Amino acid sequence: MSEPGVKDDPKPKTEEAKAVSAKEETSSAEEKSTSESSEILNPKIAAETEGNVEVVYTNKEPKFTHDMNGFKVLVDEYPIVKVTDMNEDSMIPFNDQINGYVVSAKAAIGNGTSKPMYYNN
C-alpha cells in the first residue's frame, strides 16, 4: 500500500546482502517503500528466466534471526514467486521443468565476533 503523494518507482531496486553492524537500523521510510505485496523483491528472476513472474506470498515480518556464536543472520522479508514459461537454460535448477517457485530473502548479516567470518548462501 503506497503513501499518498509517493509514486511507486517503475524500476524496482535490488540490494546485495552485506555485512552490517548490530547498531545499523532500517529507516521507516525504506520499510514503507516496500509495503506493496505484489512488488518483486528480486527483479532479476524475470530477467534471468525470461519467464512470467507472479508474487504468490510475501512475509514482511518473518522475525527470523539466527545467531551462530556472534555471527548473526536476520531475515527482514521474503517473497515466494511463481515462475512460468521460463527459457530452457533456466530449467536445469527446476528439475527440467518450465514452471517453478523461487524464494528470495532480504537479509542482514552481522559479525559480532573478533575474527573474519564468511557467509555463503
Side-chain angles (χ1 to χ4, degrees), residues 87-116:
N87 67 31
E88 291 182 15
D89 294 335
S90 299
M91 291 171 40
I92 295 170
F94 291 93
N95 199 25
D96 294 329
Q97 302 294 311
I98 61 169
N99 303 318
Y101 292 86
V102 177
V103 178
S104 299
K106 181 177 180 183
I109 301 169
N111 184 2
T113 69
S114 60
K115 57 187 175 186

PDB file of all heavy atoms in Angstrom, residues 87-116:
ATOM      1  N   ASN A  87      12.757 -19.931 -19.903  1.00  0.00           N
ATOM      2  CA  ASN A  87      13.548 -20.410 -21.038  1.00  0.00           C
ATOM      3  C   ASN A  87      14.238 -21.734 -20.691  1.00  0.00           C
ATOM      4  O   ASN A  87      14.354 -22.109 -19.526  1.00  0.00           O
ATOM      5  CB  ASN A  87      14.560 -19.348 -21.506  1.00  0.00           C
ATOM      6  CG  ASN A  87      15.644 -19.075 -20.481  1.00  0.00           C
ATOM      7  OD1 ASN A  87      16.046 -19.927 -19.709  1.00  0.00           O
ATOM      8  ND2 ASN A  87      16.135 -17.855 -20.475  1.00  0.00           N
ATOM      9  N   GLU A  88      14.691 -22.449 -21.696  1.00  0.00           N
ATOM     10  CA  GLU A  88      15.290 -23.777 -21.496  1.00  0.00           C
ATOM     11  C   GLU A  88      16.562 -23.736 -20.659  1.00  0.00           C
ATOM     12  O   GLU A  88      16.861 -24.686 -19.948  1.00  0.00           O
ATOM     13  CB  GLU A  88      15.556 -24.441 -22.845  1.00  0.00           C
ATOM     14  CG  GLU A  88      14.286 -24.824 -23.578  1.00  0.00           C
ATOM     15  CD  GLU A  88      14.557 -25.537 -24.894  1.00  0.00           C
ATOM     16  OE1 GLU A  88      15.690 -25.988 -25.114  1.00  0.00           O
ATOM     17  OE2 GLU A  88      13.620 -25.635 -25.699  1.00  0.00           O
ATOM     18  N   ASP A  89      17.332 -22.653 -20.746  1.00  0.00           N
ATOM     19  CA  ASP A  89      18.563 -22.550 -19.960  1.00  0.00           C
ATOM     20  C   ASP A  89      18.292 -22.483 -18.466  1.00  0.00           C
ATOM     21  O   ASP A  89      19.137 -22.856 -17.656  1.00  0.00           O
ATOM     22  CB  ASP A  89      19.365 -21.313 -20.381  1.00  0.00           C
ATOM     23  CG  ASP A  89      19.886 -21.422 -21.800  1.00  0.00           C
ATOM     24  OD1 ASP A  89      20.049 -22.558 -22.287  1.00  0.00           O
ATOM     25  OD2 ASP A  89      20.126 -20.364 -22.418  1.00  0.00           O
ATOM     26  N   SER A  90      17.132 -22.012 -18.079  1.00  0.00           N
ATOM     27  CA  SER A  90      16.785 -21.889 -16.663  1.00  0.00           C
ATOM     28  C   SER A  90      16.131 -23.140 -16.102  1.00  0.00           C
ATOM     29  O   SER A  90      15.887 -23.224 -14.905  1.00  0.00           O
ATOM     30  CB  SER A  90      15.835 -20.705 -16.462  1.00  0.00           C
ATOM     31  OG  SER A  90      16.451 -19.515 -16.857  1.00  0.00           O
ATOM     32  N   MET A  91      15.845 -24.107 -16.931  1.00  0.00           N
ATOM     33  CA  MET A  91      15.115 -25.295 -16.491  1.00  0.00           C
ATOM     34  C   MET A  91      15.955 -26.243 -15.634  1.00  0.00           C
ATOM     35  O   MET A  91      15.407 -26.983 -14.823  1.00  0.00           O
ATOM     36  CB  MET A  91      14.568 -26.053 -17.708  1.00  0.00           C
ATOM     37  CG  MET A  91      13.456 -25.316 -18.419  1.00  0.00           C
ATOM     38  SD  MET A  91      12.946 -26.031 -20.003  1.00  0.00           S
ATOM     39  CE  MET A  91      12.970 -27.770 -19.727  1.00  0.00           C
ATOM     40  N   ILE A  92      17.269 -26.212 -15.759  1.00  0.00           N
ATOM     41  CA  ILE A  92      18.117 -27.168 -15.040  1.00  0.00           C
ATOM     42  C   ILE A  92      17.899 -27.109 -13.522  1.00  0.00           C
ATOM     43  O   ILE A  92      17.646 -28.141 -12.901  1.00  0.00           O
ATOM     44  CB  ILE A  92      19.592 -26.994 -15.424  1.00  0.00           C
ATOM     45  CG1 ILE A  92      19.776 -27.355 -16.894  1.00  0.00           C
ATOM     46  CG2 ILE A  92      20.509 -27.825 -14.531  1.00  0.00           C
ATOM     47  CD1 ILE A  92      21.129 -26.999 -17.476  1.00  0.00           C
ATOM     48  N   PRO A  93      17.966 -25.928 -12.877  1.00  0.00           N
ATOM     49  CA  PRO A  93      17.739 -25.916 -11.427  1.00  0.00           C
ATOM     50  C   PRO A  93      16.303 -26.250 -11.021  1.00  0.00           C
ATOM     51  O   PRO A  93      16.018 -26.469  -9.858  1.00  0.00           O
ATOM     52  CB  PRO A  93      18.083 -24.492 -11.003  1.00  0.00           C
ATOM     53  CG  PRO A  93      18.462 -23.733 -12.202  1.00  0.00           C
ATOM     54  CD  PRO A  93      18.341 -24.617 -13.382  1.00  0.00           C
ATOM     55  N   PHE A  94      15.393 -26.292 -11.992  1.00  0.00           N
ATOM     56  CA  PHE A  94      13.993 -26.602 -11.725  1.00  0.00           C
ATOM     57  C   PHE A  94      13.642 -28.020 -12.167  1.00  0.00           C
ATOM     58  O   PHE A  94      12.505 -28.294 -12.544  1.00  0.00           O
ATOM     59  CB  PHE A  94      13.085 -25.577 -12.412  1.00  0.00           C
ATOM     60  CG  PHE A  94      13.162 -24.215 -11.799  1.00  0.00           C
ATOM     61  CD1 PHE A  94      14.050 -23.270 -12.292  1.00  0.00           C
ATOM     62  CD2 PHE A  94      12.367 -23.885 -10.719  1.00  0.00           C
ATOM     63  CE1 PHE A  94      14.138 -22.013 -11.727  1.00  0.00           C
ATOM     64  CE2 PHE A  94      12.447 -22.624 -10.149  1.00  0.00           C
ATOM     65  CZ  PHE A  94      13.339 -21.690 -10.654  1.00  0.00           C
ATOM     66  N   ASN A  95      14.629 -28.913 -12.155  1.00  0.00           N
ATOM     67  CA  ASN A  95      14.419 -30.312 -12.497  1.00  0.00           C
ATOM     68  C   ASN A  95      13.810 -30.455 -13.898  1.00  0.00           C
ATOM     69  O   ASN A  95      12.885 -31.226 -14.110  1.00  0.00           O
ATOM     70  CB  ASN A  95      13.556 -30.998 -11.438  1.00  0.00           C
ATOM     71  CG  ASN A  95      13.680 -32.498 -11.475  1.00  0.00           C
ATOM     72  OD1 ASN A  95      14.693 -33.026 -11.937  1.00  0.00           O
ATOM     73  ND2 ASN A  95      12.661 -33.190 -10.975  1.00  0.00           N
ATOM     74  N   ASP A  96      14.349 -29.649 -14.835  1.00  0.00           N
ATOM     75  CA  ASP A  96      13.931 -29.661 -16.242  1.00  0.00           C
ATOM     76  C   ASP A  96      12.457 -29.321 -16.459  1.00  0.00           C
ATOM     77  O   ASP A  96      11.848 -29.739 -17.429  1.00  0.00           O
ATOM     78  CB  ASP A  96      14.270 -31.004 -16.896  1.00  0.00           C
ATOM     79  CG  ASP A  96      15.766 -31.222 -16.995  1.00  0.00           C
ATOM     80  OD1 ASP A  96      16.503 -30.223 -17.136  1.00  0.00           O
ATOM     81  OD2 ASP A  96      16.206 -32.385 -16.944  1.00  0.00           O
ATOM     82  N   GLN A  97      11.888 -28.533 -15.568  1.00  0.00           N
ATOM     83  CA  GLN A  97      10.506 -28.077 -15.706  1.00  0.00           C
ATOM     84  C   GLN A  97      10.512 -26.627 -16.178  1.00  0.00           C
ATOM     85  O   GLN A  97      11.452 -25.876 -15.907  1.00  0.00           O
ATOM     86  CB  GLN A  97       9.776 -28.159 -14.363  1.00  0.00           C
ATOM     87  CG  GLN A  97       9.751 -29.553 -13.763  1.00  0.00           C
ATOM     88  CD  GLN A  97       8.937 -30.508 -14.605  1.00  0.00           C
ATOM     89  OE1 GLN A  97       7.806 -30.211 -14.983  1.00  0.00           O
ATOM     90  NE2 GLN A  97       9.490 -31.661 -14.900  1.00  0.00           N
ATOM     91  N   ILE A  98       9.458 -26.183 -16.879  1.00  0.00           N
ATOM     92  CA  ILE A  98       9.387 -24.792 -17.325  1.00  0.00           C
ATOM     93  C   ILE A  98       8.655 -23.905 -16.318  1.00  0.00           C
ATOM     94  O   ILE A  98       8.558 -22.698 -16.497  1.00  0.00           O
ATOM     95  CB  ILE A  98       8.727 -24.660 -18.713  1.00  0.00           C
ATOM     96  CG1 ILE A  98       7.300 -25.182 -18.703  1.00  0.00           C
ATOM     97  CG2 ILE A  98       9.566 -25.326 -19.772  1.00  0.00           C
ATOM     98  CD1 ILE A  98       6.518 -24.831 -19.956  1.00  0.00           C
ATOM     99  N   ASN A  99       8.146 -24.505 -15.238  1.00  0.00           N
ATOM    100  CA  ASN A  99       7.454 -23.770 -14.184  1.00  0.00           C
ATOM    101  C   ASN A  99       8.096 -24.115 -12.846  1.00  0.00           C
ATOM    102  O   ASN A  99       8.551 -25.238 -12.641  1.00  0.00           O
ATOM    103  CB  ASN A  99       5.970 -24.140 -14.140  1.00  0.00           C
ATOM    104  CG  ASN A  99       5.276 -23.896 -15.460  1.00  0.00           C
ATOM    105  OD1 ASN A  99       5.506 -22.886 -16.109  1.00  0.00           O
ATOM    106  ND2 ASN A  99       4.438 -24.826 -15.867  1.00  0.00           N
ATOM    107  N   GLY A 100       8.126 -23.150 -11.938  1.00  0.00           N
ATOM    108  CA  GLY A 100       8.685 -23.417 -10.616  1.00  0.00           C
ATOM    109  C   GLY A 100       8.474 -22.239  -9.682  1.00  0.00           C
ATOM    110  O   GLY A 100       7.850 -21.241 -10.031  1.00  0.00           O
ATOM    111  N   TYR A 101       9.010 -22.356  -8.483  1.00  0.00           N
ATOM    112  CA  TYR A 101       8.877 -21.326  -7.454  1.00  0.00           C
ATOM    113  C   TYR A 101      10.263 -20.911  -6.982  1.00  0.00           C
ATOM    114  O   TYR A 101      11.184 -21.736  -6.910  1.00  0.00           O
ATOM    115  CB  TYR A 101       8.059 -21.849  -6.272  1.00  0.00           C
ATOM    116  CG  TYR A 101       6.621 -22.091  -6.631  1.00  0.00           C
ATOM    117  CD1 TYR A 101       6.215 -23.301  -7.183  1.00  0.00           C
ATOM    118  CD2 TYR A 101       5.663 -21.101  -6.439  1.00  0.00           C
ATOM    119  CE1 TYR A 101       4.894 -23.521  -7.532  1.00  0.00           C
ATOM    120  CE2 TYR A 101       4.338 -21.314  -6.786  1.00  0.00           C
ATOM    121  CZ  TYR A 101       3.959 -22.529  -7.331  1.00  0.00           C
ATOM    122  OH  TYR A 101       2.656 -22.738  -7.679  1.00  0.00           O
ATOM    123  N   VAL A 102      10.396 -19.618  -6.634  1.00  0.00           N
ATOM    124  CA  VAL A 102      11.660 -19.082  -6.148  1.00  0.00           C
ATOM    125  C   VAL A 102      11.384 -18.320  -4.859  1.00  0.00           C
ATOM    126  O   VAL A 102      10.439 -17.540  -4.773  1.00  0.00           O
ATOM    127  CB  VAL A 102      12.307 -18.131  -7.184  1.00  0.00           C
ATOM    128  CG1 VAL A 102      13.587 -17.513  -6.640  1.00  0.00           C
ATOM    129  CG2 VAL A 102      12.576 -18.854  -8.491  1.00  0.00           C
ATOM    130  N   VAL A 103      12.231 -18.550  -3.854  1.00  0.00           N
ATOM    131  CA  VAL A 103      12.153 -17.812  -2.602  1.00  0.00           C
ATOM    132  C   VAL A 103      13.378 -16.911  -2.540  1.00  0.00           C
ATOM    133  O   VAL A 103      14.506 -17.378  -2.679  1.00  0.00           O
ATOM    134  CB  VAL A 103      12.136 -18.755  -1.380  1.00  0.00           C
ATOM    135  CG1 VAL A 103      12.109 -17.961  -0.082  1.00  0.00           C
ATOM    136  CG2 VAL A 103      10.964 -19.712  -1.458  1.00  0.00           C
ATOM    137  N   SER A 104      13.158 -15.619  -2.356  1.00  0.00           N
ATOM    138  CA  SER A 104      14.240 -14.656  -2.176  1.00  0.00           C
ATOM    139  C   SER A 104      14.156 -14.140  -0.749  1.00  0.00           C
ATOM    140  O   SER A 104      13.097 -14.213  -0.126  1.00  0.00           O
ATOM    141  CB  SER A 104      14.099 -13.473  -3.131  1.00  0.00           C
ATOM    142  OG  SER A 104      14.160 -13.899  -4.464  1.00  0.00           O
ATOM    143  N   ALA A 105      15.251 -13.597  -0.253  1.00  0.00           N
ATOM    144  CA  ALA A 105      15.238 -13.061   1.105  1.00  0.00           C
ATOM    145  C   ALA A 105      15.951 -11.727   1.150  1.00  0.00           C
ATOM    146  O   ALA A 105      16.994 -11.546   0.533  1.00  0.00           O
ATOM    147  CB  ALA A 105      15.894 -14.044   2.074  1.00  0.00           C
ATOM    148  N   LYS A 106      15.363 -10.807   1.875  1.00  0.00           N
ATOM    149  CA  LYS A 106      16.019  -9.543   2.202  1.00  0.00           C
ATOM    150  C   LYS A 106      16.582  -9.759   3.595  1.00  0.00           C
ATOM    151  O   LYS A 106      15.831  -9.908   4.565  1.00  0.00           O
ATOM    152  CB  LYS A 106      14.989  -8.404   2.184  1.00  0.00           C
ATOM    153  CG  LYS A 106      15.580  -7.061   2.478  1.00  0.00           C
ATOM    154  CD  LYS A 106      14.493  -6.000   2.367  1.00  0.00           C
ATOM    155  CE  LYS A 106      15.022  -4.636   2.647  1.00  0.00           C
ATOM    156  NZ  LYS A 106      13.941  -3.627   2.602  1.00  0.00           N
ATOM    157  N   ALA A 107      17.913  -9.828   3.678  1.00  0.00           N
ATOM    158  CA  ALA A 107      18.541 -10.217   4.926  1.00  0.00           C
ATOM    159  C   ALA A 107      19.686  -9.288   5.299  1.00  0.00           C
ATOM    160  O   ALA A 107      20.267  -8.616   4.447  1.00  0.00           O
ATOM    161  CB  ALA A 107      19.069 -11.644   4.817  1.00  0.00           C
ATOM    162  N   ALA A 108      20.001  -9.271   6.573  1.00  0.00           N
ATOM    163  CA  ALA A 108      21.144  -8.529   7.088  1.00  0.00           C
ATOM    164  C   ALA A 108      22.044  -9.525   7.798  1.00  0.00           C
ATOM    165  O   ALA A 108      21.574 -10.446   8.460  1.00  0.00           O
ATOM    166  CB  ALA A 108      20.692  -7.439   8.050  1.00  0.00           C
ATOM    167  N   ILE A 109      23.340  -9.333   7.645  1.00  0.00           N
ATOM    168  CA  ILE A 109      24.317 -10.218   8.264  1.00  0.00           C
ATOM    169  C   ILE A 109      25.220  -9.371   9.146  1.00  0.00           C
ATOM    170  O   ILE A 109      25.707  -8.328   8.711  1.00  0.00           O
ATOM    171  CB  ILE A 109      25.148 -10.944   7.193  1.00  0.00           C
ATOM    172  CG1 ILE A 109      24.233 -11.748   6.281  1.00  0.00           C
ATOM    173  CG2 ILE A 109      26.196 -11.843   7.835  1.00  0.00           C
ATOM    174  CD1 ILE A 109      24.909 -12.274   5.042  1.00  0.00           C
ATOM    175  N   GLY A 110      25.433  -9.793  10.368  1.00  0.00           N
ATOM    176  CA  GLY A 110      26.287  -9.050  11.296  1.00  0.00           C
ATOM    177  C   GLY A 110      27.340  -9.955  11.909  1.00  0.00           C
ATOM    178  O   GLY A 110      27.051 -11.068  12.339  1.00  0.00           O
ATOM    179  N   ASN A 111      28.565  -9.467  11.925  1.00  0.00           N
ATOM    180  CA  ASN A 111      29.660 -10.223  12.530  1.00  0.00           C
ATOM    181  C   ASN A 111      30.017  -9.575  13.854  1.00  0.00           C
ATOM    182  O   ASN A 111      30.684  -8.551  13.907  1.00  0.00           O
ATOM    183  CB  ASN A 111      30.877 -10.235  11.587  1.00  0.00           C
ATOM    184  CG  ASN A 111      32.013 -11.085  12.126  1.00  0.00           C
ATOM    185  OD1 ASN A 111      31.897 -11.698  13.180  1.00  0.00           O
ATOM    186  ND2 ASN A 111      33.114 -11.107  11.407  1.00  0.00           N
ATOM    187  N   GLY A 112      29.581 -10.185  14.939  1.00  0.00           N
ATOM    188  CA  GLY A 112      29.881  -9.692  16.279  1.00  0.00           C
ATOM    189  C   GLY A 112      31.072 -10.400  16.901  1.00  0.00           C
ATOM    190  O   GLY A 112      31.338 -10.238  18.089  1.00  0.00           O
ATOM    191  N   THR A 113      31.790 -11.168  16.102  1.00  0.00           N
ATOM    192  CA  THR A 113      32.970 -11.861  16.605  1.00  0.00           C
ATOM    193  C   THR A 113      34.205 -10.995  16.376  1.00  0.00           C
ATOM    194  O   THR A 113      34.150  -9.984  15.694  1.00  0.00           O
ATOM    195  CB  THR A 113      33.175 -13.219  15.897  1.00  0.00           C
ATOM    196  OG1 THR A 113      33.547 -12.977  14.539  1.00  0.00           O
ATOM    197  CG2 THR A 113      31.910 -14.061  15.933  1.00  0.00           C
ATOM    198  N   SER A 114      35.318 -11.416  16.921  1.00  0.00           N
ATOM    199  CA  SER A 114      36.564 -10.656  16.755  1.00  0.00           C
ATOM    200  C   SER A 114      37.406 -11.173  15.599  1.00  0.00           C
ATOM    201  O   SER A 114      38.540 -10.744  15.428  1.00  0.00           O
ATOM    202  CB  SER A 114      37.368 -10.714  18.052  1.00  0.00           C
ATOM    203  OG  SER A 114      37.668 -12.061  18.367  1.00  0.00           O
ATOM    204  N   LYS A 115      36.859 -12.077  14.794  1.00  0.00           N
ATOM    205  CA  LYS A 115      37.621 -12.628  13.672  1.00  0.00           C
ATOM    206  C   LYS A 115      36.814 -12.528  12.380  1.00  0.00           C
ATOM    207  O   LYS A 115      35.597 -12.411  12.414  1.00  0.00           O
ATOM    208  CB  LYS A 115      37.994 -14.078  13.958  1.00  0.00           C
ATOM    209  CG  LYS A 115      36.813 -14.977  14.244  1.00  0.00           C
ATOM    210  CD  LYS A 115      37.248 -16.361  14.680  1.00  0.00           C
ATOM    211  CE  LYS A 115      36.008 -17.163  15.072  1.00  0.00           C
ATOM    212  NZ  LYS A 115      36.326 -18.435  15.626  1.00  0.00           N
ATOM    213  N   PRO A 116      37.497 -12.572  11.237  1.00  0.00           N
ATOM    214  CA  PRO A 116      36.775 -12.537   9.954  1.00  0.00           C
ATOM    215  C   PRO A 116      35.888 -13.774   9.802  1.00  0.00           C
ATOM    216  O   PRO A 116      36.310 -14.887  10.129  1.00  0.00           O
ATOM    217  CB  PRO A 116      37.873 -12.542   8.895  1.00  0.00           C
ATOM    218  CG  PRO A 116      39.138 -12.250   9.603  1.00  0.00           C
ATOM    219  CD  PRO A 116      38.940 -12.627  11.035  1.00  0.00           C
TER     220      PRO A 116
END
